[in-house]
Structures are given as structure tokens and as C-alpha cells.
Amino acid sequence: MASDPDIFPEDFCFGVATSAYQVEGGLNTDWTVWEAQGKLKEPHVRCGDAVDHWNRFDEDLRLLQHLGAQAFRLSIEWARLEPESGKFDPAAAQAYRWRLERLVAAGIRPVVTLHHFTHPTWFHETCPWHLPGCLPRWETHVRACIELARGLDVVWVTFNEPMVFLLGGYLDGQMPPGKKSGNEAGPALENIARAHVLAWRLIKEASPSTPVGIAQHLMAFAPDRWWHPLDQALCRIADSQFNWALLEAFSTGRLNVNMPGVMRARADLGAAATMDYVGANYYTRSHLKFIPGKPFVRMAFKDVSKRGLTDIGWEEFPEGFGLMLRQLKRFHLPVWVMENGIDDRRGERRPGYMYTHLKELLAARAAGVDIRAYLHWALLDNFEWLEGWGPKFGLYGVNRETMERIETPAVPYYRALIRTRRLVAP
Ligand code: BGC
């Protein structure tokens, strides 16, 4: 008997994602300094108390339980554990442990990210990613995280979207440390790749069966002028270097990233097969146009399908999700969708976005991709890196005056899906 194409199996894991800086509040990181320097699109915007998730963990745990979430992705903020270089805060480690224990006790699997864009304020001055001194410091941080999670059944994500961090932090300078230097970007990526392998090794030593991987941003690319060979070439380069090169590096053990005229990174990572799963974050497609002179490329989002751009101005392109997922088959690993979501300021489009994307996910599964989990970005409205508080990615909106959590129509939609395992159009 043919199986129902709209049914998710019982062992498929549904969950939601967050990152520390975007929701916890009360943090002092390199990003806090960046904001104070007026570097965001709107220079007066601050993350501040974020959505006070740090103090409202129990309330937010009840939201997870209401949804029926089976996994919750969070990150550990390095700046909390080691606010000053070499000075550790045991209370912060305990507080994270308490959170992980609360999740496990509630039957919700913690998916824990070690690096989600932010760093302690001292990091870039004392041991930046492009210098070898970063690795021992990273090792200390990873050991502290392993220790605080000891004995708990977690999934580790070493780096969130390392290529996005590299572009923002080292090439276009839109994120701290704000560099625009191909010469430094190369060594930075080499060290980040080594840092992943190091974390993988340390976690495996502590607990061989614990899954380790990265969350890779996968973006669909299309030529701005479909007929233009240079736009087509840009898409080929972006797809191979931005989407796949790092996943290939962790699969083969050899890093080889080449963005002609921009940066080059090559390293023998000393170990192959350092991912237990492929983590995929997918949001949209972008159109690339060749422009003479650096950075050679202009990126635009076009409303090709006439669904209307999302509120942040991105194309809604579920077909790209399917395309990316099907390509993951070649890694022969389980796939965890670590992020997928929409900036939907009126809360009306999210169920439809989830439906079309999950339909693609089911089709990719049927085509043989071993997709085990889908984590929606995000549980709560959160601080968006470049745009601040305008975008609304949360299943729950947040009134930032009162910090009240407000259910959007996607909550009953997702809840019913998780309960029934059947994907239906909203
Ligand atoms: C990041 C999230 C971010 C989301 C929406 C992802 O690239 O991992 O931190 O909020 O996209 O922009």
C-alpha cells in the first residue's frame, strides 16, 4: 500500500528555534558594543532586554509544551559564561544547565548551538578568528559547554551559518568585527572550520553517541538576467562556495573555498566525516547580478511567483527549499532543518508559508532524503541582526512593553500538525 504523502511519521521531530542574543536580554556582547557604536541600519536601535526569555524561561517552556514541540534550539552565550577573558561565571553555567534539564524533563530535546554570531566583548581584540590564538580560547569555551550539558541527551550545533558570519563579519563588514578584508577572511574561515572539527572531537570524546553538526544557511540563487553568462557564473560560484563548500569540507576533511577576486581558504582539517547530521537553514532565493568592480555582485529579491515579498523583503520561494533538501542526499547523512520561517508582521502568512515549505520537505523525504526534523524559526519574535525589532519571525508575538507573549494563527496550525502528523492546507 502506498503511504499517505501528507503524513509525517511518528519519529519525525518537530520543534522551534531561537538564539541567545536574539531573545534572552541583558547581555553584553560584541553585538551590544556594535549597537552602541550606531552600526545598525537604524543607529538608535538596541537589543536591550530582548524578549526577556532569560527571566521567562518557564513561561516560554509552557508555550513549547502547548505547541507539543519535541525539540527546542537555543544557543549558549559565550559572554555569559566568560564575561571577562579568563573569568568564568559558574552561576551562568548552572543557569544554562537548569534550562537544559527543564527541557529534558519536559520531553523536549535541547538542540544547543555553541556559536550563533555573537562573541564576548574581549574576543575580537584578544583572539580574533583570523589569528591562531582563537582556537585555544574556543576550546575552553567548548569544554565549559560540554561540562554544563554532561549526561543530558542534546544535539550540538557547533556553528550557526558560518558562511553568513564570514560574509557579515569579514567581507561586507555588516556584523562585528566589521572587517572588509579577503586577506583576513581566508584565515578566519580556516580557523572556524578547524574550530568545528575541534568541537566535534571534544564532544565525541565526552559522549560518542551525541550528534554534532552545523546549521548551514542554504540560499537558492538565480541569475538577475537569465541570459547573462556573468550572472550565471556568479550563481554557480555562490551556490558552490556559499552553500556547499563547508559541508563538503566537513565531509572530506579538506577545506577548499575559492571566491575569485574576493577570498581563498584552504586547509587540511585533519579529520573527515565530522558531522553526524546536516543542519539546514532555509529562507529564500536571491537574484545575483554581476557589477564591474568589487564586490562584483548585487543581490536582489524578486517576487517572481507573485506571492508577494515577505515583510523583510525576501522572496517566498518554497521550491528552493525542496531543491536544497534534495541536494543534501549526496552527504548520506540524516538532515535536520534547523531554521525556516517568515517575517510576517500581521501574522497572516505564516501558516501558508509553513504549509508550502513542509510540502516540499515531504516531497524531498519521498525522494529519499533522510530528513529527521523541522525546527521553525522562531518560537518568539526576536531581535533581528541588521533590522532590529521591525521583523516578526515569532510563532508568538511579543509586546515589548509588557513582554506579554501573543499567539499568532500559526500556533494552532503548527500544534495541530504536530499532534495529527498530517499536513493540511491552512
Ligand atoms: C539566522 C537567525 C536570523 C534568521 C532570520 C538566520 O540567518 O540564523 O539568527 O534571525 O536568519 O534572518
Side-chain angles (χ1 to χ4, degrees), residues 97 145 182 234 279 315 352:
R97 169 134 194 129
C145 293
L234 275 178
E315 182 184 8

Side-chain angles (χ1 to χ4, degrees), residues 22 116 160-161 217 283 314 339 377 382 384-385 393:
Q22 293 177 276
H116 197 125
N160 180 67
E161 303 186 342
H217 191 106
Y283 289 88
W314 297 348
E339 288 182 27
W377 182 272
N382 53 84
E384 187 56 36
W385 303 103
F393 278 92

Side-chain angles (χ1 to χ4, degrees), residues 18-19 22 73 116-117 160-161 164 175 215 217 281-283 312 314 338-343 377-378 382-387 391 393:
T18 57
S19 89
Q22 293 177 276
R73 182 171 170 219
H116 197 125
F117 298 160
N160 180 67
E161 303 186 342
V164 172
M175 291 181 168
H217 191 106
N281 296 358
Y282 176 84
Y283 289 88
I312 204 168
W314 297 348
M338 289 292 181
E339 288 182 27
N340 172 241
I342 177 172
D343 170 18
W377 182 272
N382 53 84
F383 178 79
E384 187 56 36
W385 303 103
L386 307 182
E387 279 85 4
F393 278 92

Side-chain angles (χ1 to χ4, degrees), residues 4-6 8 318 321-322 325-326 353-366 413 423-425:
D4 187 328
D6 291 327
F8 284 90
F321 188 36
L325 290 174
R326 282 193 295 279
Y353 181 97
M354 294 176 92
Y355 173 71
T356 53
H357 285 74
L358 286 165
K359 193 92 185 154
E360 290 287 339
L361 188 155
L362 280 172
R365 266 181 65 94
Y413 180 74
L423 183 65
V424 289

Side-chain angles (χ1 to χ4, degrees), residues 153-353:
D153 181 23
V154 307
V155 175
W156 289 105
V157 179
T158 58
F159 282 86
N160 180 67
E161 303 186 342
M163 294 306 284
V164 172
F165 171 67
L166 189 83
L167 279 180
Y170 276 88
L171 289 170
D172 70 16
Q174 292 201 54
M175 291 181 168
K179 292 186 179 285
K180 297 182 185 178
S181 160
N183 290 338
E184 287 169 324
L189 185 59
E190 290 163 14
N191 285 331
I192 287 170
R194 290 188 185 107
H196 161 78
V197 174
L198 176 60
W200 172 81
R201 217 176 250 138
L202 295 171
I203 295 167
K204 291 290 161 185
E205 272 167 29
S207 166
S209 62
T210 297
V212 185
I214 64 166
Q216 173 73 355
H217 191 106
L218 297 174
M219 187 179 271
F221 295 106
D224 188 90
R225 298 157 293 183
W226 62 266
W227 47 268
H228 201 297
L230 288 175
D231 293 4
Q232 293 164 0
L234 275 178
C235 289
R236 279 195 299 276
I237 294 168
D239 187 50
S240 66
Q241 305 305 296
F242 179 82
N243 285 335
W244 307 115
L246 257 195
L247 296 178
E248 267 150 27
F250 298 142
S251 170
T252 61
R254 281 183 309 279
L255 174 73
N256 188 4
V257 172
N258 186 8
M259 301 186 197
V262 178
M263 65 158 286
R264 184 111 179 81
R266 290 184 82 146
D268 179 348
L269 301 178
T274 58
M275 299 184 296
D276 300 301
Y277 63 85
V278 184
N281 296 358
Y282 176 84
Y283 289 88
T284 188
R285 165 169 74 174
S286 73
H287 283 75
L288 303 185
K289 182 177 196 170
F290 178 81
I291 48 166
K294 275 193 178 173
F296 304 114
V297 56
R298 182 168 301 140
M299 194 167 121
F301 301 103
K302 298 185 178 186
D303 187 18
V304 180
S305 63
K306 302 292 173 226
R307 292 179 176 106
L309 295 177
T310 67
D311 290 330
I312 204 168
W314 297 348
E315 182 184 8
E316 188 175 335
F317 187 55
E319 298 81 358
F321 188 36
L323 193 76
M324 293 297 140
L325 290 174
R326 282 193 295 279
Q327 291 182 75
L328 292 176
K329 203 169 167 180
R330 67 181 145 119
F331 294 103
H332 305 290
L333 288 171
V335 173
W336 278 61
V337 175
M338 289 292 181
E339 288 182 27
N340 172 241
I342 177 172
D343 170 18
D344 177 22
R345 300 185 195 181
R346 284 182 307 278
E348 293 159 357
R349 283 177 70 170
R350 187 167 295 104
Y353 181 97

